[in-house]
Amino acid sequence: MLTDVDGRLRTKESVVGKLTLKNAALKQQILKMENQLQHKEEMGEVLHVIDFDQLKIENQQYLEKIEERNNELLKLYA
């Protein structure tokens, strides 16, 4: 019985670790995109409306993924 609990705990800890890494990777992608946008602005490159809209869409998708991963982590900790 105790070994079953330990096994489930290790499994959950493993999943939490993987989700934490995935969450960190998604945050890094967002930072990279934000830096690319800032670099373009600093270099005086003109962003077309389509480019900006695409970046906004991608940013929103990454934010939703991060929120999903955070919710999964909260469920696992509960």
Side-chain angles (χ1 to χ4, degrees), residues 42-58:
E42 288 173 357
M43 296 303 291
E45 293 181 28
V46 176
L47 284 178
H48 298 300
V49 175
I50 295 171
D51 293 335
F52 184 70
D53 288 339
Q54 181 63 33
L55 287 173
K56 285 186 351 187
I57 291 168
E58 290 176 9

